[in-house]
Amino acid sequence: MRIRSIEEINKKIENGDVTVLTAEEVSSLVCEGNSPKTEDVDVVTTGTCGIMSGTAAILHVPVADPGAFKKAKNILLNGIPGFPGPCPNEWLGSVDLIIYGTAHSIYDSNYGGGFLFNDIVSGKEIDIELESTDGKIFKTTTNIKDFGTTKMIGTRLAFKNYNSFTNPSDKLVSSIFHAIDMEGPFKGLSVSGCGQLNPLQNDPLMEVICSGSKILLNGSEGIVIGSGTRSSNEKPNLMLTADMKDMNSHYLGGFKTGAGPEIFDSVAAAIPILDQNILEQTFIMNKDITLPVADIRGRHKILGSTNYGEVWDGCDERPVYHPTDCLNCKTCIVHERCPTGAYTDTLNVQKCFGCGMCAYSCPNNAFTMESGCVRFKLDDKFIEMPIICRQSDIKRARELTSELKRKIENGNFILNNCLK
Ligand code: SF4
Ligand code: SF4
């Protein structure tokens, strides 16, 4: 039975007397033996951050003076191919285009759409190269202030957690599901998903996070368009959009994988507590959320399972760098492998994703990080292995979830009523 409406919650937000908890705060209360009631909380904020391949940008960019070319045939942004159109923009000198977060630079194999979108949102100058339909080449440099449209669209984001992956074979396997070609057999696990904080883990049937709901996408206030591609009751995900001009570059970026650069995004969603059932769905705890372990070769064969308690409970958000243990190797394997470029000669904590590849890779333990270990049964044998790569960032997810909580408390985020 509904005990309050979204309009009543919005009134409380406007009056500054709304009670907001993050999903982790709710889980902690439950873990301590409490049983929160609907009168104790009006809104629960949730969030996730991880590799989200279904990300694209719809842009309108200035290239040349009006009349300089009839139509664009090909376009590159920092060397990354976009798709001109669908509008032809005849003789305007500017171009509508769609560009993928998963696209790769034709000049630099380590640079892709995720890094480009971070550069765009950061306000950096972007190199544009255009070939017109009559074969002329135009080059210019511009930045987001001069772009017309800067919409990000996510075709399948914020999925309800995910599979983890290991390599049972002794051959290297190249995949987007690991930061480097994955070694085997059973050398370690690559994981995704933010467990109990994940939006759709707290609203698995999309009862209140639904088409029309407001969300934060990379810090920008956006909206849920509907279910994402391949969304199912078992594995739901969201289609989202928001304006890149309002995004915070901290929350999105590039992440190198064994199969080339990918993109990471951060999403936060609010769950209005309309009844006890909606509240109780947020009681979920990491240890109760199953994390299937799949074979990275082909990715569909499930070998066993673990849970998100093994991934996040008691584990470090970030590595610790010990400069005195660094041997200044001629070739630094950490520098080569760090997926976000956070380590050059020093650790750039702002760029760090907490993936753990540095702690796994450095031969002299110049990086240390507690990132968990899993144990599961396979053919009557127990397999135990460390988590060596986290493709989700619990720190950014927590930051955005708390940011949404503050916005609601401060009256800066009013909920949409889009319930059927
Ligand atoms: S591999 Fe480790 S010890 Fe060697 S330079 Fe890199 S961080 Fe230092
Ligand atoms: S955890 Fe280590 S490898 Fe991963 S992003 Fe941070 S510095 Fe780079």
Side-chain angles (χ1 to χ4, degrees):
M1 194 185 69
R2 292 271 150 100
I3 61 106
R4 64 169 74 89
S5 65
I6 289 186
E7 286 69 26
E8 285 167 319
I9 294 174
N10 281 339
K11 247 310 153 248
K12 284 183 159 193
I13 295 173
E14 281 162 12
N15 293 339
D17 60 2
V18 66
T19 305
V20 188
L21 296 178
T22 69
E24 286 191 315
E25 287 169 340
V26 174
S27 300
S28 296
L29 285 172
V30 174
C31 192
E32 289 158 8
N34 300 300
S35 182
K37 296 276 179 286
T38 44
E39 46 274 26
D40 303 326
V41 53
D42 300 303
V43 181
V44 174
T45 58
T46 61
T48 187
C49 169
I51 293 192
M52 301 195 196
S53 304
T55 310
I58 299 172
L59 307 173
H60 180 85
V61 296
V63 179
D65 291 334
F69 60 89
K70 186 177 180 190
K71 277 168 49 178
K73 184 172 156 201
N74 296 304
I75 191 160
L76 299 173
L77 274 66
N78 283 355
I80 297 175
F83 300 92
C87 292
N89 296 138
E90 270 190 14
W91 302 115
L92 291 185
S94 57
V95 179
D96 281 14
L97 68 108
I98 299 173
I99 190 160
Y100 296 167
T102 49
H104 298 163
S105 164
I106 62 170
Y107 303 125
D108 176 358
S109 60
N110 286 325
Y111 189 81
F115 292 100
L116 170 70
F117 292 178
N118 179 282
D119 285 342
I120 291 174
V121 170
S122 302
K124 290 187 184 161
E125 290 295 315
I126 306 297
D127 294 330
I128 313 276
E129 293 175 67
L130 178 140
E131 182 188 9
S132 64
T133 46
D134 56 358
K136 288 190 194 138
I137 303 292
F138 297 84
K139 293 188 182 183
T140 188
T141 300
T142 181
N143 64 53
I144 192 168
K145 282 197 198 126
D146 294 324
F147 289 10
T149 301
T150 50
K151 284 278 182 212
M152 178 173 281
I153 181 157
T155 57
R156 61 183 318 254
L157 304 192
F159 27 82
K160 181 184 147 211
N161 290 310
Y162 216 68
N163 287 343
S164 60
F165 295 94
T166 190
N167 178 7
S169 78
D170 54 10
K171 294 202 175 88
L172 289 174
V173 177
S174 158
S175 162
I176 62 163
F177 294 106
H178 193 49
I180 55 171
D181 289 347
M182 192 177 236
E183 297 158 325
F186 299 112
K187 282 275 172 62
L189 204 65
S190 180
V191 300
S192 301
C194 287
Q196 64 194 15
L197 196 54
N198 185 296
L200 294 181
Q201 197 68 54
N202 288 276
D203 181 26
L205 298 178
M206 292 176 62
E207 287 173 90
V208 286
I209 303 174
C210 51
S211 189
S213 294
K214 280 167 44 175
I215 43 91
L216 291 182
L217 173 56
N218 302 323
S220 172
E221 196 174 298
I223 201 152
V224 177
I225 304 172
S227 298
T229 59
R230 307 201 312 269
S231 192
S232 64
N233 280 351
E234 195 197 7
K235 291 188 176 174
N237 70 79
L238 300 170
M239 193 173 286
L240 308 172
T241 186
D243 199 322
M244 294 171 77
K245 283 194 172 132
D246 300 325
M247 288 185 184
N248 178 343
S249 61
H250 173 63
Y251 289 122
L252 80 162
F255 186 103
K256 287 186 289 172
T257 74
E262 274 281 332
I263 179 166
F264 73 83
D265 295 301
S266 309
V267 177
I271 295 184
I273 302 303
L274 308 177
D275 60 39
Q276 189 66 23
N277 178 51
I278 291 171
L279 176 60
E280 284 178 13
Q281 290 187 122
T282 70
F283 290 1
I284 188 92
M285 284 188 263
N286 283 331
K287 67 180 175 51
D288 299 321
I289 305 171
T290 302
L291 174 59
V293 178
D295 186 334
I296 200 165
R297 300 166 304 171
R299 68 187 259 212
H300 290 298
K301 185 174 177 193
I302 303 298
L303 304 168
S305 76
T306 178
N307 64 73
Y308 278 94
E310 305 292 350
V311 180
W312 299 122
D313 292 349
C315 292
D316 296 332
E317 288 182 339
R318 290 289 182 263
V320 178
Y321 176 47
H322 312 276
T324 49
D325 290 326
C326 178
L327 300 173
N328 296 311
C329 311
K330 203 165 164 205
T331 303
C332 173
I333 194 167
V334 175
H335 184 190
E336 279 182 2
R337 290 182 171 184
C338 176
T340 61
Y343 182 69
T344 46
D345 291 336
T346 55
L347 177 60
N348 181 335
V349 285
Q350 271 300 102
K351 277 191 175 180
C352 182
F353 195 76
C355 71
M357 286 308 296
C358 47
Y360 170 70
S361 305
C362 175
N364 208 47
N365 298 323
F367 288 84
T368 53
M369 187 170 98
E370 178 51 64
S371 56
C373 188
V374 301
R375 189 168 191 262
F376 66 94
K377 205 171 177 190
L378 178 68
D379 300 335
D380 296 328
K381 268 194 350 212
F382 278 101
I383 308 257
E384 197 168 308
M385 59 189 160
I387 293 169
I388 55 177
C389 179
R390 304 190 303 204
Q391 292 195 321
S392 287
D393 182 358
I394 197 72
K395 187 168 190 294
R396 280 183 172 83
R398 284 176 177 144
E399 287 168 356
L400 194 61
T401 303
S402 298
E403 190 174 320
L404 179 56
K405 173 179 166 166
R406 282 193 302 276
K407 274 178 177 277
I408 296 170
E409 287 173 337
N410 295 337
N412 295 322
F413 192 98
I414 301 292
L415 309 181
N416 271 357
N417 189 349
C418 46
L419 303 183
K420 290 182 188 122

